[in-house]
Amino acid sequence: MWSALLRRGGRGAGGLRGLVSGGPPWSQVVSEAEKIVGYPTSFMSLRCLLSDELSNIAMQVRKLVGTKHPLLDTARQRSLAEITELIHTAFLVHRGIVNIGELKSCDGPLKDMQFGNKMAVLSGDFLLANACTSLAQLQNTKVVELISSAIGDLVQGIYYENSKSSEENCLTDDIGISTWKEQVFLSHSALLAKSCQAAMELAKHSAEIQDMAFQYGKHMSMSHKLHSDLQPFVKESDTMAFSLNSAPAVLHQEFLGREAWIKQIREAQGKGNIMDYKKLREAIKAGKGVTSAIDLCRGHGNRALAALERFPPSEARAALANIVYAVTRFP
């Protein structure tokens, strides 16, 4: 999607909606974006990347290395997108590691679970190593610095996610929404935001345009995380579990107070510390946490759209705007 924007810069003529309130479904938006990019944005297409036809093309493109042919710039945008996806997938694989100490007999043989953990570590490391190798081949110091710092942000963000306080049996963190946003930026937004900025750097756009790309990536991904956190509260489902550190819960705690929030959690726990999520969900929905999270989601969406308005109208810009509309759409 960014490839079309790479060939243009400067201030756009507007035309985006000022207030996000709805839009097409996420699957439709992704499908439309993939048509613009020209290839599926998923590792389900890995076989295509390894096909003989693409290998032949890659060999021919290598012959241009050392020249100033514009095709090389296009290849580097494509490569940056794949590097970003590799890094994202590597950390997803790493997150698949299970805590052996919390396993139950019904989860499977201990030996198999330990083997699964080893495979998760090795597979994630393999993807990350390949991403770093490809990153170095871009031969752009600023891009290397941006993506390397994004990897550092991811590590720090995941550390925050996994470090629990010893209070209240680690049920929930005692944080406010500002701290929540800082942690989410590190673990969810930094990679996309800095990748968008790096794409503008590869296209040799100004620092101002690079910052607008960064702002779009940051606020769009923040909206996406808020939209994801809100799903258990806006969908008609009584069995859907949710994180006690999700945005609606954190906002609910801010309005209610820490002690009252812990009391509600205890009241929702049954025998064997089994959580009654339906009861807890109704308690949160009765407060201001859900509506405040929706407002926050749309607020980040508006800031993402404002950043997009700095780019000239194009099919690519419309696709990026539709992504924002999709993640700020609620029933």
Side-chain angles (χ1 to χ4, degrees), residues 43-110:
F43 270 94
M44 294 298 289
S45 61
L46 188 60
R47 288 178 297 177
C48 296
L49 297 178
L50 299 177
S51 66
D52 293 338
E53 291 81 4
L54 281 179
S55 297
N56 186 49
I57 293 174
M59 290 178 63
Q60 300 305 319
V61 170
R62 287 193 189 100
K63 295 179 180 179
L64 297 175
V65 174
T67 72
K68 295 184 179 180
H69 197 284
L71 178 61
L72 284 180
D73 291 332
T74 302
R76 293 191 187 101
Q77 201 284 322
R78 172 70 177 265
S79 180
L80 177 61
E82 292 170 355
I83 289 168
T84 301
E85 193 167 2
L86 273 174
I87 294 170
H88 176 66
T89 304
F91 277 90
L92 286 180
V93 171
H94 276 159
R95 290 187 184 195
I97 299 173
V98 299
N99 188 340
I100 298 296
E102 296 179 355
L103 291 177
K104 301 177 182 179
S105 57
C106 60
D107 292 326
L110 179 62

Side-chain angles (χ1 to χ4, degrees), residues 3-281:
S3 57
L5 291 177
L6 289 175
R7 296 189 292 270
R8 302 181 176 94
R11 188 184 302 271
L16 296 178
R17 278 177 278 178
L19 178 65
V20 291
S21 58
W26 176 253
S27 58
Q28 179 183 339
V29 170
V30 172
S31 178
E32 292 174 354
E34 287 177 345
K35 292 177 183 177
I36 296 173
V37 175
Y39 65 99
T41 56
S42 168
F43 270 94
M44 294 298 289
S45 61
L46 188 60
R47 288 178 297 177
C48 296
L49 297 178
L50 299 177
S51 66
D52 293 338
E53 291 81 4
L54 281 179
S55 297
N56 186 49
I57 293 174
M59 290 178 63
Q60 300 305 319
V61 170
R62 287 193 189 100
K63 295 179 180 179
L64 297 175
V65 174
T67 72
K68 295 184 179 180
H69 197 284
L71 178 61
L72 284 180
D73 291 332
T74 302
R76 293 191 187 101
Q77 201 284 322
R78 172 70 177 265
S79 180
L80 177 61
E82 292 170 355
I83 289 168
T84 301
E85 193 167 2
L86 273 174
I87 294 170
H88 176 66
T89 304
F91 277 90
L92 286 180
V93 171
H94 276 159
R95 290 187 184 195
I97 299 173
V98 299
N99 188 340
I100 298 296
E102 296 179 355
L103 291 177
K104 301 177 182 179
S105 57
C106 60
D107 292 326
L110 179 62
K111 185 177 181 180
D112 291 344
M113 300 301 284
Q114 290 174 330
F115 177 75
N117 276 357
K118 291 178 181 179
M119 289 302 298
V121 172
L122 291 173
S123 299
D125 288 350
F126 174 78
L127 292 174
L128 193 58
N130 275 272
C132 292
T133 301
S134 299
L135 184 62
Q137 292 173 350
L138 292 178
Q139 298 181 346
N140 186 300
T141 303
K142 184 174 181 180
V143 169
V144 172
E145 290 176 353
L146 281 169
I147 305 302
S148 298
S149 67
I151 294 174
D153 291 337
L154 270 170
V155 173
Q156 188 176 354
I158 293 173
Y159 172 79
Y160 285 146
E161 284 184 354
N162 294 330
S163 61
K164 304 288 185 179
S165 70
S166 59
E167 299 178 3
E168 308 297 344
N169 291 332
C170 305
L171 282 174
T172 178
D173 293 340
D174 186 10
I175 59 173
I177 195 62
S178 60
T179 302
W180 180 90
K181 288 195 287 187
E182 291 173 4
Q183 294 180 6
V184 167
F185 171 77
L186 292 172
S187 60
H188 290 81
S189 301
L191 179 60
L192 181 60
K194 293 183 178 181
S195 294
C196 291
Q197 181 181 353
M200 297 297 100
E201 162 64 22
L202 283 177
K204 299 179 175 59
H205 282 306
S206 66
E208 181 184 7
I209 293 299
Q210 291 181 32
D211 183 61
M212 289 301 101
F214 176 92
Q215 295 301 324
Y216 171 82
K218 172 185 175 179
H219 292 295
M220 189 280 288
S221 55
M222 291 292 289
S223 289
H224 184 272
K225 181 62 169 68
L226 284 158
H227 184 271
S228 177
D229 280 4
L230 278 160
Q231 292 311 294
F233 302 93
V234 298
K235 285 186 175 180
E236 297 298 328
S237 174
D238 294 334
T239 60
M240 187 182 294
F242 56 90
S243 170
L244 299 183
N245 296 314
S246 61
V250 171
L251 286 164
H252 179 70
Q253 176 183 268
E254 277 200 343
F255 288 116
L256 193 65
R258 177 69 175 175
E259 291 185 6
W261 169 229
I262 293 298
K263 182 180 179 181
Q264 286 186 343
I265 294 175
R266 296 301 187 192
E267 290 174 349
Q269 282 184 310
K271 293 182 179 179
N273 288 332
I274 298 176
M275 188 68 66
D276 184 347
Y277 282 100
K278 180 181 178 181
K279 183 176 182 179
L280 195 59
R281 183 185 299 108

Side-chain angles (χ1 to χ4, degrees), residues 268-330:
Q269 282 184 310
K271 293 182 179 179
N273 288 332
I274 298 176
M275 188 68 66
D276 184 347
Y277 282 100
K278 180 181 178 181
K279 183 176 182 179
L280 195 59
R281 183 185 299 108
E282 293 305 316
I284 295 174
K285 290 175 69 174
K288 300 179 181 178
V290 174
T291 55
S292 296
I294 291 175
D295 290 341
L296 186 61
C297 178
R298 289 175 174 164
H300 281 289
N302 284 330
R303 296 180 71 176
L305 292 177
L308 271 185
E309 287 184 346
R310 304 302 298 272
F311 295 89
S314 67
E315 189 180 6
R317 193 183 84 166
L320 292 170
N322 279 337
I323 291 176
V324 177
Y325 300 142
V327 298
T328 53
R329 180 175 181 263
F330 298 96

